[in-house]
Amino acid sequence: MARQLALGCLAVCLSITLLCSGAVAEGDTSGRLLVAKSILNEHVVQGKEVTVHYELFNIGTGPCLDVVLEDESFPEDIFSVVHGIPRARFDRIAASGNVTHSVVLNINYVGYFNFTGAKVTYKTEEDAEPTETYSSAPGVAEVTSLDKFNRRYSPHLADWLGFSLMVLPVVGLPFFLWRQSYSRYSTSESTKSKRS
């Protein structure tokens, strides 16, 4: 859901950028980056891994050089990095090209957390000044505790086992009595029919 929303926002941003820039001016060979940041997890749970995914799209007609992605929105007292790094560097992103980057974090927090955008700097030419842009922001997400998550989404196997053990006498005893009575009357009827 969050990924679809991020891709939808990216498509809208791309359309607005192309319309506002008058498509791409004649002779303009510079690169332009659009950056999308999304949380891939459906539920953000304390003590579980959270995957943050970055997509960088070059919508310009020229390459983007010395691209640096920095995401400093993860405080060290709340997040710990499991895989990847929140800072990535790409030497070159070709015109109409894209690259992706992912970071897996472990969150030690319960409540609401605002996932903000990442900062991206790049050059359109070797000698040019760096251009700075920001990624889309996934927004506020609820970080639930592990106990609350398990109560809501676990299969509750112990609960079902206890329920089955409590229901067994209520259902099993009448079935046992019926089966005993049925076998007694079915054998007496079969012996009567043999005598006749």
Side-chain angles (χ1 to χ4, degrees):
M1 170 104 180
R3 183 175 169 85
Q4 293 171 345
L5 182 62
L7 290 177
C9 289
L10 183 66
V12 169
C13 290
L14 176 65
S15 301
I16 291 172
T17 303
L18 288 176
L19 288 174
C20 290
S21 67
V24 177
E26 283 294 319
D28 185 13
T29 59
S30 63
R32 292 193 179 115
L33 283 182
L34 287 180
V35 184
K37 174 183 175 181
S38 57
I39 307 298
L40 298 184
N41 298 53
E42 187 174 343
H43 302 284
V44 181
V45 181
Q46 176 191 21
K48 293 201 171 224
E49 294 179 349
V50 177
T51 304
V52 182
H53 188 68
Y54 306 91
E55 295 175 292
L56 291 83
F57 299 93
N58 184 354
I59 60 167
T61 56
C64 293
L65 308 169
D66 298 326
V67 180
V68 178
L69 168 74
E70 292 180 275
D71 197 347
E72 298 174 352
S73 62
F74 303 116
E76 291 182 9
D77 58 332
I78 296 176
F79 292 94
S80 60
V81 177
V82 178
H83 300 289
I85 52 174
R87 179 183 166 94
R89 185 174 188 285
F90 306 99
D91 291 330
R92 177 184 182 94
I93 300 176
S96 301
N98 66 342
V99 294
T100 60
H101 178 70
S102 294
V103 178
V104 180
L105 306 164
N106 194 348
I107 187 166
N108 188 22
Y109 174 78
V110 175
Y112 290 94
F113 186 81
N114 187 14
F115 290 95
T116 58
K119 182 173 107 175
V120 178
T121 56
Y122 64 96
K123 294 181 181 178
T124 55
E125 295 176 3
E126 289 288 337
D127 306 346
E129 288 291 318
T131 303
E132 187 175 294
T133 187
Y134 290 89
S135 71
S136 61
V140 177
E142 180 183 7
V143 181
T144 57
S145 67
L146 188 58
D147 293 338
K148 185 176 178 183
F149 178 79
N150 286 337
R151 257 187 315 227
R152 191 179 294 164
Y153 297 106
S154 75
H156 303 285
L157 296 176
D159 298 340
W160 281 109
L161 179 65
F163 175 76
S164 299
L165 290 175
M166 287 188 288
V167 168
L168 186 64
V170 175
V171 175
L173 186 61
F175 176 75
F176 176 72
L177 293 173
W178 172 82
R179 184 75 177 148
Q180 192 177 20
S181 173
Y182 177 76
S183 64
R184 187 180 317 146
Y185 285 113
S186 67
T187 55
S188 68
E189 284 183 10
S190 64
T191 55
K192 282 184 185 178
S193 63
K194 287 183 182 178
R195 289 184 188 169
S196 310

